[in-house]
Amino acid sequence: MNYIFLLLVTLKIFKRKLTQLQEIMGFQTSHSTKWMSQPIFKAKEDPIDIHENSLIQRTALNLIDHSETNTKYILSGYDSWVVRHPSALKSFERLMKAAIGKRIIIFLDYDGTLSPIVNDPDRAFMSDEMRAAVREVATYFPTAIISGRSRDKVKDFVKLNNLYYAGSHGMDIMAPSMPVTSSAGEHIDIAINKSGTEVPFQPAKKYLPAIREILRILENEVKEIKGAMIEDNGFCISVHFRQVQDEDYGLLEMKVKSVLENHPQFCLTEGKKVMEIRPSIKWNKGNAVEYFLDTLGLSSCNDILPVYIGDDRTDEDAFKVIQSREQGYPIIVSSVPKETNALYSLRDPSEVLIFLSRLAKWRKTAY
């Protein structure tokens, strides 16, 4: 009887899961994007995969470990989240089907996306395999790295010359030398030096003296807090506390905020075990995406498909921009459920590597 009951419950879970997938994959209308209007989300094209089967198996195993009267069947937080933000790997064929005939542009975060999050930020190295995948993708598609790191530092990590770089969350951009128009229709000048080559676009340049002063004060204030690390990222300052003891975090936060009290033109944000001090200007990674599209002459094109892959809270601004354009695929890198403006997901940098490798392979075979 227990086995029959187990079988009936498993079939019931399978049926309910299939219904949920059909509703979401076939009739989703909450995100307004041009590519979603195409019939690429039909449930019949997306049968339940290994991930969904493993969910049923885990639930069945839980049934064996509990009495019939006390058993509850609850979909895990990540599994329900990934239904709303499907895996970009498992959706790859459908995404590429919609991309045929479009001009793809790739935007990538660095830490937590191309490299793992590590205790020492100076050792956030990307693997040779990841570097090779990024290099190959950049040979087929315009590719830009948009990082919170300083532009020089992230370029030193990546070590590739066939792509574009933006550091300090987009406040330090090296882009192609072309006429630029902002999203608001305003003309933006790209500085050209006497040799005719471009120099970085730095909308927060006037804040550099104040940033240097804050950096000097902070280094003195937090030097006694074990594990705290101050990183100079050009137009922003990162205060890493991954190795700070829990009981010392409050003191660290107080010291950082006290320094900013005398600099109201700066704001404090928090990422993954890091506090970041940035100029309070209306410029972020989303603006950087728009800037790159403008300089590449693609901003007003209807046949482009921007792909942005990132893991951090600061990447949400870029996700919003791509959604507002009603074009492209915003993809979050996360192994835990979180609020996001991304439409798709990848678990970790290893899945980013697979996605980029498949993208390059698709491009080679599709054209």
Side-chain angles (χ1 to χ4, degrees):
M1 288 297 295
N2 286 338
Y3 289 105
I4 296 174
F5 180 74
L6 172 60
L7 178 61
L8 290 174
V9 171
T10 302
L11 290 174
K12 184 176 181 181
I13 294 170
F14 186 97
K15 183 177 180 180
R16 184 168 66 247
K17 188 65 180 173
L18 180 60
T19 301
Q20 290 174 346
L21 286 173
Q22 287 175 330
E23 290 175 352
I24 291 176
M25 304 296 274
F27 303 101
Q28 183 175 4
T29 57
S30 59
H31 299 295
S32 176
T33 54
K34 289 181 178 178
W35 49 267
M36 272 191 157
S37 63
Q38 301 179 24
I40 62 174
F41 283 70
K42 290 183 179 179
K44 66 180 181 180
E45 296 178 355
D46 293 276
I48 291 182
D49 52 30
I50 296 174
H51 177 76
E52 306 302 337
N53 286 331
S54 67
L55 172 64
I56 295 172
Q57 292 169 3
R58 291 198 302 273
T59 306
L61 288 174
N62 286 337
L63 176 63
I64 296 174
D65 294 334
H66 296 81
S67 68
E68 296 180 6
T69 56
N70 294 328
T71 303
K72 293 183 179 180
Y73 312 104
I74 302 174
L75 194 63
S76 75
Y78 185 83
D79 289 320
S80 60
W81 179 82
V82 85
V83 170
R84 289 180 283 115
H85 306 283
S87 166
L89 287 179
K90 296 171 183 175
S91 307
F92 187 83
E93 295 301 327
R94 293 182 293 111
L95 297 182
M96 293 304 101
K97 181 179 179 181
I100 294 175
K102 303 289 181 67
R103 288 185 284 177
I104 297 175
I105 308 96
I106 305 297
F107 298 100
L108 302 166
D109 182 30
Y110 183 76
D111 292 276
T113 300
L114 300 181
S115 74
I117 298 293
V118 294
N119 287 334
D120 184 352
D122 291 330
R123 300 190 61 80
F125 305 122
M126 66 190 299
S127 66
D128 291 338
E129 292 81 5
M130 182 69 83
R131 183 173 292 105
V134 174
R135 180 190 294 113
E136 188 172 18
V137 164
T139 62
Y140 297 118
F141 314 107
T143 302
I145 308 277
I146 305 179
S147 172
R149 303 273 194 152
S150 70
R151 180 171 52 82
D152 290 338
K153 187 174 295 184
V154 73
K155 186 174 182 180
D156 188 56
F157 275 132
V158 177
K159 301 182 187 303
L160 294 176
N161 294 320
N162 64 332
L163 40 81
Y164 308 117
Y165 293 91
S168 302
H169 299 292
M171 288 183 282
D172 186 10
I173 300 176
M174 184 67 79
S177 177
M178 296 177 65
V180 180
T181 303
S182 72
S183 58
E186 301 171 346
H187 178 72
I188 299 174
D189 292 322
I190 295 181
I192 305 294
N193 61 24
K194 292 182 180 180
S195 65
T197 59
E198 70 271 17
V199 297
F201 174 68
Q202 300 170 333
K205 190 172 184 178
K206 70 177 184 179
Y207 293 95
L208 277 178
I211 293 172
R212 301 273 77 78
E213 180 185 357
I214 294 173
L215 185 64
R216 177 182 59 80
I217 297 172
L218 266 180
E219 288 175 336
N220 184 63
E221 286 289 325
V222 308
K223 63 183 180 181
E224 301 299 329
I225 301 179
K226 186 178 180 180
M229 297 179 64
I230 307 297
E231 184 179 11
D232 179 3
N233 282 319
F235 293 91
C236 63
I237 300 170
S238 298
V239 183
H240 298 274
F241 57 88
R242 185 170 294 276
Q243 300 186 71
V244 172
Q245 297 295 320
D246 290 342
E247 58 268 25
D248 293 331
Y249 173 75
L251 176 61
L252 177 63
E253 184 182 37
M254 182 188 71
K255 286 182 175 292
V256 172
K257 289 182 177 180
S258 67
V259 172
L260 286 185
E261 287 178 357
N262 298 320
H263 297 84
Q265 70 273 40
F266 288 82
C267 63
L268 181 67
T269 60
E270 189 167 317
K272 293 181 177 179
K273 298 292 184 178
V274 61
M275 288 180 278
E276 294 189 308
I277 299 170
R278 292 189 280 171
S280 297
I281 64 172
K282 293 182 178 180
W283 194 269
N284 51 49
K285 289 186 176 183
N287 299 109
V289 167
E290 292 179 322
Y291 186 91
F292 275 117
L293 293 177
D294 284 340
T295 58
L296 290 167
L298 301 173
S299 182
S300 60
C301 298
N302 294 322
D303 62 343
I304 66 169
L305 200 151
V307 176
Y308 190 106
I309 307 177
D311 75 304
D312 197 61
R313 189 177 302 173
T314 58
D315 297 308
E316 294 296 325
D317 295 312
F319 296 156
K320 289 179 184 177
V321 165
I322 292 179
Q323 287 236 43
S324 68
R325 292 182 61 88
E326 300 184 346
Q327 297 169 302
Y329 304 140
I331 304 173
I332 189 169
V333 183
S334 181
S335 59
V336 297
K338 60 171 66 175
E339 288 298 320
T340 181
N341 292 290
L343 298 180
Y344 291 91
S345 65
L346 294 167
R347 277 185 174 268
D348 50 39
S350 67
E351 288 201 352
V352 175
L353 172 59
I354 296 171
F355 181 87
L356 294 177
S357 299
R358 290 183 66 181
L359 183 62
K361 183 178 180 180
W362 172 82
R363 175 58 180 78
K364 283 191 292 186
T365 58
Y367 292 87

